[in-house]
Amino acid sequence: MFSNTFPLWPARASSISGPVDALFIFLLMLCGLMCIAIFTAIIVFAVRYRRRPGHEAIPIEGSNAVEFTWTLIPAGVFIIIFVWGAYLYFQERTPPKDSMDVYTVAKQWMWKFQHTEGQREINELHIPIGRDVRVIMTSQDVIHSFYVPAFRIKQDVLPGRYTIAWFRATAAGTYHLFCAEYCGTNHSGMVGDVVVMEPAQYQSWLSGGQAMGSLAQTGQGVFDSLGCSTCHRMDTQGRGPNLMGVYGKPVLLEDGRTVIADENYIRESILNPAVKVVAGFKPIMPTFQGIVSEDQVNALVAYIKSLNPQPVGPAETPTFKGPAASKADTRQR
Amino acid sequence: MATTAVALSERENYLNKEYGITSWLFTTDHKRIALLYLITITFFFFIGGFFALLIRLELLTPEGDLLLADTYNKMFTMHGQVMVFFFLIPAVPAVLGNFLIPIMIGAKDLAFPRVNLLSWYLLAIGGCLMIYTILSGGVDTGWTFYTPLSTHFLDTHVITAALAIFVAGFSSILTGLNFIVTIHRMRAPGMTWSRLPLFVWANYATSIIQVLGTPVLAISLMLVALERIFNLGIFNPQLGGDPLLFQHLFWFYSHPAVYIMILPGMGVVSEIVTCFSRKRIFGYKFMALAVIAIAVLGFLVWAHHMFVAGISLYAAMVFSLLSYFVAVPSAIKVFNWTATMFKGSISYSTPMLYAFGFIGLFTMGGLTGLFVAALGIDVHVTDTYFVIAHFHYIMVGGMVMAYLGGMHFWWPKISGRMYPEFWGRLAAMIIFIGFNLTFFPQFVLGWLGMPRRYWQYSPEFQVLNVLSTAGATILAVGYLLPMLYFLWSMRYGKAAPENPWNGAGLEWKISSPPVTDNFDETPLVTWEAYNYDELPQEVPVGR
Amino acid sequence: MADSPPAVVTHNPELQHHFTTLEQQTEAAVMGMWVFLITEIMFFGGMFAGYMIYRFMYYQAWLEGSQHMDFWYGSINTVVLLCSSLTMALAVRSTQLGLRRSSVVLLLITILFGLAFLGIKGVEYYGHIVDEHQFPGPSFRFAGAYTAQVEMFFSFYFAMTGFHALHMVIGVGLVSFVAYHAWKGRYHAHYYTPVENVGLYWHFVDIVWIYLYPLFYLISHIHK
Amino acid sequence: MSAHIASKKLYVTIWASLIGLTILTAAVSYLELGAFNIVLALVIATAKMLLVALFFMGVKYISEKMTLVVIVAGLFWLMILLILSMTDYISRPWI
C-alpha cells in the first residue's frame, strides 16, 4: 500500500488527515456500492432482456412512487455527505487560537518561509510534531496554492492579502509541499519539503540557525526606520492610532463599520491605509505599497502582533503540547 | 433494402441538390450547416487530441524531458481551450442538434437560418484566431485564464486566444438563441411539449445555459483583454483588485458550461436507450424536468471550483450544499435510463454500446462529483488529477461517448449510408477500455496528491502515469477508427433505409438522407414520444 | 405556433419559406430579439457585478471617484437618451400605422440624438483622458487618499460607459439601416419587425444608461 | 397583425415622467442620506427602467407568455449573478 514505487494511499501526517480519510472511505464504499448496483442492473437487464426470437418488450410508462423514492433517498444521503464535509471544512478553515505562526511569501517559483523566531527557509519548512501551526501566506505575484498532501490541506495564496492554512502534524517525516495552482512556466518546480520533527529536535534546529533577531524584532527595526513611530506612538495617542494591544481586537472605523484587527487588516492598513480608517483619525497616512517588501510587511505584522500585552505568538510562549498530545493524535490514525 | 437503395440514387436530397463549394458556404439549410460544423469540430478534435497525446507522452517520465516547461504549459492550455470551446460545446448541439431539432419537431428549418449560418462563420472565425494563436507561438494561461497571471505575468498570445473564445462564444449564443426560438415557435401541429423527444428537451436546456451564461464569459475575457491592452485595472491586485472576482465571473459561465457539454449527451442517450430497448422512456416527465432542473441549478454552484481559493467559509458551504442539489436530477436520469432497459428487448448495436458506456462512465463521473463537492475532501483533491479524472469521466466518458453514439445512430440519416457494424462495435470497445485505462489511474494519482498542470512530477507517481499514457494511445486508436470507417462508408457503405432501427422519432419518418425541406408536407403529430409499443420489435439493421 | 393550422398562407413576399404564417415569423423574430437582449443583460451584468463588489469593498474611494465625474454631462446625456427613446418609440408607432414619411423623420431624429449622446460622451472622455489624466494605466494621475482604488473606479467607468458607447454606435448603425429601408418603403402596417426589433435594442441601451447614470454620476452628494 | 398600437399621448406622457424622474434623482443626489442615496437612486432607476420596458418596449402589451418568461428569466439570472457572488464578499469577514 505504501510502497515507494507504487503507492495507493497518501501518507497521513496531520490531525485532520484521519477524519478526511474517514469521509473519503465512507464515500468510496457508498459510491462503490452505487456503481456496483447500477452496473449490475445494466448488465443483468442487457443479458436477461436481450433481443431474441419470441421475446418482446413490455411497455412500462414509469412510476411516480419509484421516481420520488430515488429522488428523495439520494437527496437525503447527499445532505449527510454535505454536513460531514462541511464539518471537516469548518475545522480546516478555523485555526485554533494558540498557534505557532509561520509567515510565507510565495513567488514565481519559490516558497519563502519565516518563523517568528527569525529563521528563514526556502522551499523547506521545519515544524514540530503536535503544535498547531498557522501558515500566514501571501503572494508577491500570481496566485499560488500551498498544498501538503500528507496533511490533506490546501490553500490558495493570493497577491494583495493574507490567506491562512493551519495544521497539526502528527508523524515525523519529510512530506511533499506542492504549488497546486498553476502559476506560470516553472509551476511544477515550485515544490518543496515539509520536515516534521520531534519537538526536541525542532528546538535544536531552531537554535542552530543564524543568530538574527526574531521576526518581531526585525519588524521593530522596519517600524523605526520608516518613521512609523512618529505618528503611531506607544506611550500616548499620536496622529495615528496607538498600536499597543490592537491585534485581535475589534476596531471601529470612520465609516461606522467594525472590523477585527487581524493579520489581513494590519496588512491592508500598511499597504492601503485609507481604505479602512480608524474612527477619529484622518486618512493622512501615506501608502507603503511598493516601499516595503512582502517580507517587511510580514515583519511589521509580527511586530504589531507582539505589542499585545498578552502574548499571542509562540515567540513569547514556547509551550509545547508535548509527546502526550502527539500520541493522542497518532491514535486517530 | 434493395428498394431503398434505388430510392437513394433517384431521390433528390439535401446532399445532392446542389454541388460546389459555394452551395455549402452560403447554404442556409440546417442540415448542411450541421455538416459544416461536423467538419470544423472534427478538425479541432484532432488538434486537441494531438495536444493531449503530447501531454501524456511528456508525463511518461517524471522528468520534464520531451517538451520544455513552457511548451508543456501551452499544450495543456490549448488542449483545454480547443477541446472545450471548439469541440465539446459545439459537438452535440451544433452538429446533431442542428441536424435533428427541426426534423424532430416537424419544421422545415431553424427559425433563423441565416443566423444559423452566421453562427458557423463565427465559430470558423474564432477557430482561425485559435489556429493563429497556436501557430504564432501559443498561449499558456491555462484554459481558465486566471488573473493576475493572464493579465500581468505572461508574454504569450493571451489576447488573440481570448478573442478567439469570445467570437466562438457568440457562435454558441446564437445557436442557443436559434434553438430556443425554434423549439418555441416552429413545432408541427400536434407536437406538444409533452411529446417532444428528450433530445429536444436536452438541447433546449442547453440553449438556456448558452444564452444566459456565455455573455458573462465574454465580458470577463474582454476585461482581461482590455486590462492587457489599455491597462484597465479591474483585476489588478496592485490597485486593490480582488483576484477572485475573475474566478467568480469565469466560473459563473464555465461551471454551467459543463452542463452545456453533458446535457445534449444525455438527450442522445435517451433516444438510443429507448430505441434499442424497444421501450418508452421510464418517467418521461421526470426526465424532461431533470434536464431543466440541471440547467437552472447548474447556475447556482459555480464557486465550488473555489473552495480553497480564499472565498468566505460560509459562501463555500452554501455552494457545496447547492452542488449536492444539482446531483439529484443527474442521479434521476441514470436511474431512469437503467429502468428503461428493464423488461425491454435489448440489442447490442453500436449506438447502444456507446450508450452503455455513457451510463457507466457518467455514473462514475457523477459519483466522484460527490467527492469533490464534499468540502473537506475537495480541499485535498481540488487542483489535483482527481479533478482531472472526474471531469474527463463526464466530458470524455460522458459527452464524447454520447456524441459518437449519436453519430452512429443518426449516421444513416445524415449520410444515407450504413457504417460497418463490426468495426463500429470494435471501436466502441476500444474506446471504452482505452478511456478507463487513461483516466482511472488519474483518480488514484489525484488522491495521492499529484497536482494538475505539472510538467515534471515526483517519481512515485510514475507507474500510474505510465498506465494512463498507455491508455491514451489506445484511446487515440479508438477515436481514429470511426473517422476512417465513416469516411469509407460515405462511398462504400450500404445504402441506408428510411428507418434502419425502427426508430420512433419524426426523423425516421422521412427519407435518408432527407430532402432540403425535410418533409414533403408538414406532419401532424398524433402520438406520444417513444411509442415503441406501437412499432415493430425488430431492429432491422445492425444485428 | 404549435397548434395553429398550417393551411393559412398569405402570399406575402416577406414570408420566408420555412414559416407557415407571417404571424409565426413575426413572433419568432420578436422573441429572438428578446432572447438576444437577455444575453446583453448578462453581458453588462458581469460588469455590474464587479462594480458592486468593489463599491462594497472600497466605498470611500468610489465616493471620491464619483466627485470627479461631470454631473452636467451625465445629466444632459440622460435627457438626450430619453428623448431618443421617445422618438424611437414614436418611429415604431408610425411604421405600425404605415406612415412612411413620419417614421423616416423620427428615425433620423433618433440618429441625431444618438450622435449627440456620443458627441457629448466624446467631449467628456477627452476631458477625463487628456486634461485630467484619469485614464487608468501609467498616465493615471490622481491626488488624494485612494489613488489605487480610484484608478479602479475609473477602470470601471471607462469599461462600462465604453461598452455602452459601443452599443450606441452599433445602435446608430442599426437605426440608419432601418431608416434607409423605411425610406425605400420596405416596411408597412403588416411588416415592420426590423423597426420593432431595432427599437427594442435602442430602448435596452437606454435602460443600461439609466442605471449607469446614478451609479457613476450620483453616488456622491458633492457634484462638480 | 393585431399588435397593440399605443397613442402618441401615452408615449409623450411616459417621456415626461422619465424626464421628471431624472430631475428627481439628480435632485435627491444633492441630499446627504448616507447609504440611502444609492438605494433611492436605484429605486428611481428601476422605476425608469420599468417605464421604458413596459411602454416604450411594449412589454405591457406582449400577449405571448413565453416572451414574458424570457424577460423575467433574464432578470432572475442577473440577480443570481449579483446576489450569489455578493454572498462571498459580505461573509468573508465573519467566522
Side-chain angles (χ1 to χ4, degrees):
Chain A
M1 268 298 250
F2 291 86
S3 95
N4 270 339
T5 51
F6 189 29
L8 289 172
W9 203 270
R12 249 186 303 230
S14 79
S15 58
I16 198 75
S17 48
V20 169
D21 284 10
L23 175 56
F24 187 78
I25 291 167
F26 170 75
L27 281 174
L28 265 189
M29 293 197 302
L30 181 81
C31 296
L33 280 178
M34 271 318 295
C35 272
I36 292 170
I38 289 171
F39 295 170
T40 314
I42 292 175
I43 292 168
V44 167
F45 293 166
V47 175
R48 172 98 170 68
Y49 306 115
R50 70 190 178 280
R51 190 168 70 84
R52 54 189 187 272
H55 171 71
E56 291 229 332
I58 296 162
I60 303 168
E61 282 282 328
S63 146
N64 285 355
V66 172
E67 298 283 352
F68 280 115
T69 313
W70 65 38
T71 307
L72 295 177
I73 291 180
V77 175
F78 293 167
I79 302 262
I80 295 171
I81 305 172
F82 160 71
V83 172
W84 192 342
Y87 171 71
L88 291 175
Y89 184 69
F90 190 83
Q91 292 182 316
E92 287 163 343
R93 286 288 299 271
T94 45
K97 280 270 174 285
D98 188 26
S99 59
M100 151 188 163
D101 291 349
V102 177
Y103 288 84
T104 306
V105 178
K107 56 175 280 193
Q108 285 176 329
W109 293 276
M110 142 197 320
W111 296 98
K112 295 197 287 185
F113 300 102
Q114 188 163 19
H115 296 255
T116 41
E117 290 82 355
Q119 271 78 3
R120 291 168 184 276
E121 303 186 68
I122 286 179
N123 289 346
E124 203 168 62
L125 175 61
H126 288 77
I127 45 143
I129 285 187
R131 275 301 302 269
D132 297 327
V133 179
R134 291 201 312 163
V135 190
I136 301 169
M137 304 177 290
T138 187
S139 163
Q140 227 166 282
D141 35 51
V142 302
I143 302 175
H144 302 277
S145 191
F146 179 86
Y147 178 34
V148 184
F151 295 169
R152 311 287 188 274
I153 54 137
K154 185 184 289 124
Q155 173 62 55
D156 282 10
V157 184
L158 304 176
R161 74 177 237 223
Y162 284 129
T163 50
I164 295 175
W166 84 271
F167 51 83
R168 184 162 79 236
T170 52
T174 303
Y175 304 104
H176 284 302
L177 162 66
F178 291 131
C179 173
E181 184 65 64
Y182 174 62
C183 57
T185 307
N186 205 13
H187 168 54
S188 62
M190 195 171 160
V191 296
D193 290 321
V194 176
V195 183
V196 179
M197 312 168 95
E198 295 296 336
Q201 281 175 295
Y202 177 70
Q203 275 304 335
S204 63
W205 176 82
L206 267 187
S207 46
Q210 319 97 306
M212 54 158 64
S214 76
L215 189 59
Q217 284 166 331
T218 314
Q220 189 171 15
V222 179
F223 196 82
D224 292 337
S225 70
L226 289 172
C228 306
S229 44
T230 44
C231 298
H232 296 286
R233 297 166 61 103
M234 300 303 163
D235 44 354
T236 165
Q237 203 68 278
R239 282 194 292 167
N242 187 334
L243 299 177
M244 218 59 175
V246 78
Y247 171 67
K249 300 278 170 3
V251 176
L252 182 66
L253 299 184
E254 188 67 15
D255 57 11
R257 286 179 294 170
T258 306
V259 294
I260 301 291
D262 56 4
E263 286 87 355
N264 254 325
Y265 174 72
I266 299 173
R267 177 197 163 82
E268 189 178 18
S269 299
I270 298 167
L271 298 177
N272 280 313
V275 172
K276 287 173 187 154
V277 180
V278 180
F281 292 91
K282 294 201 163 53
I284 47 167
M285 175 170 159
T287 171
F288 285 86
Q289 184 112 48
I291 295 168
V292 289
S293 69
E294 290 291 353
D295 292 323
Q296 287 174 316
V297 174
N298 287 342
L300 283 169
V301 171
Y303 169 62
I304 290 166
K305 284 165 70 175
S306 75
L307 293 174
N308 269 29
Q310 280 144 3
V312 174
E316 293 80 30
T317 52
T319 47
F320 286 100
K321 285 196 177 128
S326 66
K327 246 181 215 156
D329 291 321
T330 22
R331 232 178 290 132
Q332 287 179 1
R333 295 160 67 188
Chain B
M1 277 246 289
T3 52
T4 32
V6 176
L8 176 76
S9 55
E10 279 171 359
R11 183 133 197 226
E12 183 188 82
N13 59 51
Y14 83 103
L15 288 170
N16 64 15
K17 189 174 185 226
E18 289 171 282
Y19 291 98
I21 187 87
T22 51
S23 77
W24 284 89
L25 289 182
F26 298 112
T27 182
T28 54
D29 182 355
H30 67 102
K31 297 178 288 301
R32 285 192 161 209
I33 295 171
L35 290 192
L36 292 177
Y37 270 114
L38 177 63
I39 295 164
T40 317
I41 68 159
T42 308
F43 173 70
F44 279 106
F45 178 73
F46 283 101
I47 291 186
F50 172 71
F51 291 148
L53 217 52
L54 284 180
I55 293 170
R56 281 318 320 166
L57 285 175
E58 166 60 58
L59 293 178
L60 210 47
T61 59
E63 302 80 31
D65 37 18
L66 178 69
L67 308 168
L68 294 172
D70 273 330
T71 319
Y72 178 80
N73 294 344
K74 286 173 182 168
M75 289 301 124
F76 71 68
T77 298
M78 295 185 298
H79 167 71
Q81 289 167 344
V82 166
M83 283 301 202
V84 168
F85 295 107
F86 295 95
F87 173 71
L88 283 166
I89 286 177
V92 172
V95 178
L96 294 173
N98 229 327
F99 194 96
L100 291 163
I101 285 175
I103 303 180
M104 282 181 164
I105 64 173
K108 287 179 183 164
D109 206 324
L110 287 171
F112 310 114
R114 276 176 296 182
V115 173
N116 194 21
L117 182 66
L118 175 66
S119 306
W120 178 75
Y121 272 103
L122 286 174
L123 185 77
I125 294 168
C128 291
L129 279 167
M130 196 68 224
I131 299 284
Y132 168 78
T133 308
I134 294 168
L135 292 181
S136 64
V139 56
D140 58 350
T141 53
W143 81 279
T144 47
F145 284 98
Y146 271 15
T147 58
L149 180 67
S150 62
T151 47
H152 293 93
F153 290 89
L154 292 176
D155 236 0
T156 49
H157 294 75
V158 182
I159 296 169
T160 49
L163 207 59
I165 292 165
F166 182 84
V167 176
F170 273 92
S171 158
S172 174
I173 290 175
L174 292 179
T175 305
L177 186 153
N178 221 334
F179 284 1
I180 289 179
V181 176
T182 305
I183 295 168
H184 272 291
R185 287 282 172 273
M186 311 290 284
R187 280 171 287 130
M191 181 53 90
T192 58
W193 284 91
S194 59
R195 285 175 179 167
L196 284 180
L198 288 170
F199 179 76
V200 178
W201 272 107
N203 274 286
Y204 181 72
T206 309
S207 305
I208 293 176
I209 306 176
Q210 286 176 310
V211 162
L212 289 165
T214 320
V216 180
L217 176 80
I219 186 63
S220 23
L221 291 183
M222 213 58 208
L223 291 176
V224 167
L226 290 178
E227 188 140 347
R228 286 184 75 95
I229 302 170
F230 293 118
N231 286 305
L232 286 193
I234 284 172
F235 303 118
N236 188 354
Q238 293 285 312
L239 304 179
D242 184 50
L244 300 191
L245 172 66
F246 175 80
Q247 297 179 22
H248 275 298
L249 294 178
F250 179 83
W251 290 115
F252 179 84
Y253 166 76
S254 295
H255 187 75
V258 175
Y259 299 108
I260 296 181
M261 296 176 232
I262 191 67
L263 282 175
M266 294 174 163
V268 170
V269 169
S270 298
E271 301 298 315
I272 296 175
V273 167
T274 47
C275 180
F276 292 99
S277 303
R278 314 308 301 161
K279 289 247 334 259
R280 284 173 192 250
I281 193 86
F282 190 90
Y284 175 90
K285 268 185 202 149
F286 286 86
M287 290 297 259
L289 273 178
V291 288
I292 301 295
I294 291 174
V296 175
L297 292 173
F299 272 100
L300 307 178
V301 301
W302 77 81
H304 66 206
H305 295 264
M306 301 160 62
F307 284 160
V308 301
I311 62 169
S312 118
L313 172 64
Y314 299 99
M317 291 189 179
V318 171
F319 279 103
S320 168
L321 182 62
L322 291 168
S323 305
Y324 280 107
F325 287 153
V326 81
V328 175
S330 314
I332 293 176
K333 298 210 73 102
V334 171
F335 294 141
N336 278 323
W337 288 317
T338 314
T340 302
M341 291 179 212
F342 180 62
K343 298 202 171 171
S345 171
I346 298 166
S347 41
Y348 310 142
S349 307
T350 311
M352 191 60 174
L353 295 186
Y354 279 109
F356 283 139
F358 173 94
I359 299 173
L361 300 179
F362 176 74
T363 302
M364 288 187 63
L367 286 172
T368 48
L370 300 182
F371 288 71
V372 287
L375 285 156
I377 294 196
D378 187 66
V379 169
H380 177 54
V381 295
T382 189
D383 281 326
T384 69
Y385 268 82
F386 194 91
V387 170
I388 307 284
H390 160 67
F391 73 71
H392 279 90
Y393 263 79
I394 302 282
M395 289 181 196
V396 185
M399 184 61 161
V400 178
M401 281 290 195
Y403 169 69
L404 286 174
M407 280 306 293
H408 286 83
F409 189 52
W410 285 296
W411 184 250
K413 187 59 62 184
I414 294 171
S415 68
R417 302 282 183 167
M418 297 306 297
Y419 60 86
E421 186 64 31
F422 168 77
W423 289 99
R425 289 181 195 181
L426 182 70
M429 299 299 286
I430 293 177
I431 290 173
F432 184 79
I433 292 165
F435 174 83
N436 279 300
L437 187 55
T438 311
F439 291 105
F440 194 82
Q442 297 186 4
F443 278 126
V444 187
L445 278 173
W447 175 243
L448 288 174
M450 177 168 164
R452 65 192 289 195
R453 297 172 169 176
Y454 261 31
W455 167 64
Q456 53 191 9
Y457 54 87
S458 199
E460 73 262 28
F461 300 134
Q462 188 175 12
V463 177
L464 290 161
N465 270 301
V466 170
L467 286 178
S468 182
T469 302
T473 51
I474 297 175
L475 199 54
V477 174
Y479 285 143
L480 277 172
L481 269 181
M483 197 180 83
L484 295 178
Y485 63 70
F486 275 147
L487 284 174
W488 174 88
S489 75
M490 281 164 69
R491 181 166 272 270
Y492 303 104
K494 274 187 275 184
E498 210 169 77
N499 192 352
W501 323 114
N502 266 338
L506 270 177
E507 77 270 28
W508 302 115
K509 295 181 171 50
I510 58 173
S511 52
S512 301
V515 295
T516 299
D517 277 347
N518 300 340
F519 300 95
D520 297 323
E521 52 189 64
T522 310
L524 178 69
V525 181
T526 54
W527 59 90
E528 302 300 315
Y530 311 115
N531 55 338
Y532 282 103
D533 39 334
E534 294 157 18
L535 292 173
Q537 289 281 312
E538 280 298 294
V539 173
V541 186
R543 173 67 187 153
Chain C
M1 259 321 282
D3 300 311
S4 61
V8 192
V9 179
T10 44
H11 282 285
N12 189 312
E14 306 298 344
L15 179 65
Q16 291 169 337
H17 82 284
H18 60 292
F19 289 106
T20 29
T21 62
L22 195 59
E23 193 185 2
Q24 184 193 27
Q25 179 178 331
T26 310
E27 282 181 346
V30 172
M31 186 176 178
M33 193 63 203
W34 275 106
V35 175
F36 177 73
L37 290 185
I38 64 170
T39 71
E40 290 277 23
I41 293 179
M42 297 310 288
F43 184 84
F44 280 98
M47 285 185 289
F48 277 107
Y51 173 95
M52 184 178 74
I53 286 162
Y54 285 142
R55 185 186 176 282
F56 170 77
M57 288 168 77
Y58 304 117
Y59 177 66
Q60 293 294 333
W62 249 231
L63 291 186
E64 184 87 22
S66 173
Q67 285 161 19
H68 295 266
M69 296 283 105
D70 195 303
F71 172 76
W72 287 107
Y73 282 145
S75 306
I76 292 168
N77 255 347
T78 310
V79 172
V80 168
L81 265 196
L82 291 175
C83 294
S84 78
S85 262
L86 173 70
T87 56
M88 189 72 226
L90 291 174
V92 174
R93 181 176 172 276
S94 297
T95 323
Q96 286 172 325
L97 294 171
L99 307 170
R100 192 183 74 139
R101 201 185 147 76
S102 85
S103 85
V104 172
V105 169
L106 285 164
L107 288 171
L108 288 177
I109 299 175
T110 309
I111 294 171
L112 284 182
F113 276 127
L115 293 175
F117 176 92
L118 289 169
I120 294 170
K121 197 82 228 159
V123 173
E124 197 185 343
Y125 273 177
Y126 186 86
H128 282 305
I129 297 170
V130 178
D131 298 340
E132 316 223 16
H133 301 285
Q134 281 161 340
F135 192 82
S139 62
F140 185 81
R141 298 283 176 278
F142 183 80
Y146 309 94
T147 316
Q149 289 75 25
V150 171
E151 191 174 340
M152 269 170 60
F153 175 84
F154 275 101
S155 297
F156 274 98
Y157 168 73
F158 281 107
M160 293 175 87
T161 59
F163 273 114
H164 178 264
L166 181 68
H167 278 77
M168 287 293 295
V169 172
I170 295 169
V172 168
L174 290 173
V175 178
S176 312
F177 174 84
V178 289
Y180 173 77
H181 284 285
W183 176 59
K184 285 278 176 193
R186 246 196 95 188
Y187 310 124
H188 45 80
H190 296 287
Y191 178 69
Y192 54 84
T193 321
V195 189
E196 193 182 1
N197 276 351
V198 169
L200 288 179
Y201 178 86
W202 191 266
H203 295 309
F204 170 80
V205 178
D206 187 16
I207 285 177
V208 173
W209 183 260
I210 285 176
Y211 281 95
L212 290 180
Y213 170 57
L215 287 181
F216 282 106
Y217 294 87
L218 302 182
I219 54 177
S220 165
H221 65 278
I222 308 160
H223 295 307
K224 193 165 94 178
Chain D
M1 280 294 122
S2 54
H4 179 93
I5 301 175
S7 72
K8 217 181 247 182
K9 203 177 138 202
L10 177 79
Y11 283 140
V12 175
T13 316
I14 297 300
W15 171 78
S17 340
L18 286 168
I19 299 289
L21 284 171
T22 307
I23 294 168
L24 179 67
T25 189
V28 296
S29 77
Y30 279 95
L31 306 172
E32 194 176 350
L33 301 171
F36 282 99
N37 267 60
I38 189 73
V39 176
L40 205 57
L42 286 179
V43 167
I44 295 174
T46 305
K48 286 161 79 180
M49 181 272 280
L50 285 175
L51 286 178
V52 173
L54 287 175
F55 297 99
F56 283 176
M57 299 172 95
V59 172
K60 191 163 183 281
Y61 311 112
I62 291 177
S63 50
E64 191 46 54
K65 280 201 199 76
M66 266 333 287
T67 308
L68 289 175
V69 171
V70 166
I71 298 164
V72 172
L75 295 175
F76 177 70
W77 255 266
L78 179 65
M79 287 302 134
I80 292 179
L81 172 62
L82 298 182
I83 292 171
L84 269 183
S85 51
M86 222 31 209
T87 57
D88 174 23
Y89 291 86
I90 287 178
S91 62
R92 268 187 209 173
W94 299 358
I95 293 179

